[in-house]
Amino acid sequence: MSDPIQRAREGDPDAFRVLYEEHVGRIYALCLRLARDAAHAEELVQDTFVKAWEKLPGFRGESAFGTWLFRIAVNVTLAERRATGRRESRVGLTAEPEALPAAHRTPDPGAQLDMEQAIAGLPPHARAVFLLYDVEGYQHAEIAQMTGIAEGTSKAQLFRARRLLREALNR
Amino acid sequence: MTCAEFDQLLDRYLDESLDATRRAELDSHLRGCESCRILTAQMREVLASAATLPRSIRPPRDLWPDIAERLASRATQPPVRSIPWRRWAPLVAAAVLLIAVTAIVTVRLSRREPPVAVTAPREQPHIEGFAADREYVLAAEDLERVLTEGRGRLAPATVAVLERNLALIDAAIVEARAALEADPANADLRALLWGAHRQKLDLLDRATRLTRS
């Protein structure tokens, strides 16, 4: 277990900030794509790190810290959606291109934005599974554990998501 | 193989998780089916496009100040190790048994020795531990009240383990307190008593958290 993690587990907020700086990009990217709204994504990122701080003493290093944090972000996002029944913003990523970093606009900004828009148009569960499997590289068993769905459901959602994306990108 | 069957297996084909025989069947179908070749090519484009997406995007503003403020508001509640009951119960039980056994052994040993000081009434100020003892008891009572309110939310097996461990700790407290009353200057006994109190508070604290989780 690396030093900042150990020190953060012991309640050191400066060490926790080191972890925040290291991981906030990936957590924000996930939250932004799941929430489709930059302001909402920021709230989810904050909730994720606050929750991680509370749960940190229980982190035993059985998985990578990033994976553990990712799981919290997924749980926070899905739990918030369940709790509030929050309707997703109709404002898609293409309406907020400034939310995407400069590096994201190269080498083929059109294709990437098309892809982001197509992902944003997916139904929530299909979107979550696609992001976790095809963008983040998690396996169905891990996704099932993260999201609380059955492994078979994860596979079915991926099947659906990929075909919806193919249709959206080939219109 | 029909196109529908091909489509059903396409994801595993693309993920390269099919066995060689199945994969050969799909390759064979692809050679003779233009629509499935187009489908496969388009699906590959989807995956390739997904692979180019950045996995990390920096937020447009620094979110740390807001997070730090929220952490600071929790400063009075520092992180407490939260372990599932089934994992920590045996540890608590072992710790409690250790306390109880140690207390009993210590009490027996201390009874063999001549008392260092004459037993004094609890009110006398030089017996500094009794006020603290009372504070521990009051704190435990507060937690016990909270726990009683939430006890219905715990599984019966959890309640049984909890009660068994509380009974062990209480026995250790009683033993240590009695020994300390007989030997008020004994620092080891005092440490044992405070240790047992802290175990009880910790156990009650964790149990009340369980009722809220």
Side-chain angles (χ1 to χ4, degrees):
Chain A
M1 198 175 286
S2 68
D3 192 46
I5 296 173
Q6 182 57 41
R7 284 188 287 122
R9 288 177 81 231
E10 291 163 1
D12 179 351
D14 292 336
F16 191 60
R17 179 172 191 168
V18 172
L19 298 173
Y20 162 84
E21 295 292 348
E22 189 179 338
H23 295 280
V24 66
R26 282 193 68 199
I27 298 300
Y28 180 71
L30 177 73
C31 292
L32 183 62
R33 290 180 177 125
L34 286 175
R36 306 190 308 177
D37 174 84
H40 187 200
E42 288 181 12
E43 289 172 22
L44 292 170
V45 169
Q46 290 182 35
D47 291 347
T48 296
F49 279 96
V50 170
K51 182 72 80 178
W53 171 257
E54 291 170 348
K55 288 175 166 281
L56 198 51
F59 174 65
R60 301 164 68 86
E62 289 160 348
S63 60
F65 179 78
T67 301
W68 179 79
L69 192 62
F70 223 74
R71 182 175 298 176
I72 292 176
V74 171
N75 285 338
V76 163
T77 304
L78 297 181
E80 193 263 0
R81 185 182 290 151
R82 278 195 298 269
T84 64
R86 184 170 185 151
R87 293 179 68 85
E88 291 181 313
S89 167
R90 290 177 184 277
V91 181
L93 279 172
T94 52
E96 297 185 82
E98 67 278 6
L100 302 173
H104 194 194
R105 295 193 282 271
T106 59
D108 186 351
Q112 284 196 338
L113 285 175
D114 284 349
M115 186 63 178
E116 293 281 16
Q117 188 176 33
I119 292 171
L122 290 173
H125 285 98
R127 185 164 71 245
V129 170
F130 178 79
L131 288 172
L132 292 170
Y133 192 93
D134 279 334
V135 178
E136 297 296 337
Y138 289 101
Q139 297 300 304
H140 286 297
E142 295 171 301
I143 295 168
Q145 206 175 19
M146 280 187 195
T147 59
I149 61 175
E151 203 174 320
T153 307
S154 177
K155 289 177 182 172
Q157 293 287 4
L158 182 68
F159 182 92
R160 185 183 180 207
R162 285 176 171 179
R163 277 145 190 81
L164 287 171
L165 287 173
R166 183 182 69 86
E167 285 173 23
L169 293 170
N170 288 284
R171 275 186 194 134
Chain B
M1 174 176 283
T2 66
C3 293
E5 288 169 338
F6 178 87
D7 190 22
Q8 284 300 315
L9 292 169
L10 178 56
D11 279 30
R12 291 176 62 195
Y13 180 79
L14 294 169
D15 294 342
E16 300 184 349
S17 60
L18 284 176
D19 61 49
T21 308
R22 269 297 198 198
R23 187 166 187 83
E25 287 174 14
L26 267 73
D27 284 335
S28 172
H29 178 85
L30 269 180
R31 281 193 289 275
C33 180
E34 186 179 0
S35 64
C36 284
R37 277 202 300 276
I38 293 170
L39 170 67
T40 304
Q42 289 176 342
M43 290 294 279
R44 286 194 194 283
E45 282 175 22
V46 168
L47 299 185
S49 184
T52 67
L53 294 178
R55 294 172 69 191
S56 179
I57 301 174
R58 198 77 191 168
R61 69 183 183 90
D62 185 6
L63 304 178
W64 177 255
D66 290 342
I67 293 170
E69 192 177 327
R70 289 174 64 180
L71 299 189
S73 72
R74 286 163 164 74
T76 52
Q77 297 174 325
V80 174
R81 191 182 182 86
S82 174
I83 308 172
W85 172 267
R86 62 182 175 280
R87 266 192 249 161
W88 61 261
L91 298 176
V92 171
V96 166
L97 276 173
L98 181 64
I99 288 171
V101 169
T102 310
I104 291 165
V105 170
T106 308
V107 167
R108 287 180 180 166
L109 286 174
S110 67
R111 279 176 183 163
R112 290 183 194 166
E113 298 167 358
V116 174
V118 178
T119 304
R122 294 171 69 139
E123 293 74 18
Q124 288 198 6
H126 70 273
I127 308 174
E128 59 184 76
F130 288 111
D133 185 27
R134 180 168 167 69
E135 289 303 313
Y136 273 119
V137 170
L138 291 175
E141 284 175 356
D142 286 344
L143 281 172
E144 279 170 330
R145 270 193 294 278
V146 176
L147 181 58
T148 301
E149 289 167 11
R151 184 175 293 240
R153 289 190 286 277
L154 296 176
T158 305
V159 173
V161 174
L162 174 65
E163 288 180 343
R164 214 163 39 243
N165 284 292
L166 282 173
L168 280 167
I169 298 177
D170 282 339
I173 289 172
V174 168
E175 290 258 20
R177 188 184 288 134
L180 191 60
E181 282 177 350
D183 184 4
N186 189 322
D188 292 337
L189 286 174
R190 196 156 46 239
L192 277 170
L193 179 58
W194 299 164
H197 273 307
R198 280 194 294 272
Q199 286 282 345
K200 182 173 182 178
L201 288 179
D202 188 44
L203 179 58
L204 287 169
D205 182 49
R206 288 169 192 272
T208 53
R209 283 167 191 265
L210 278 178
T211 66
R212 292 194 293 262
S213 63

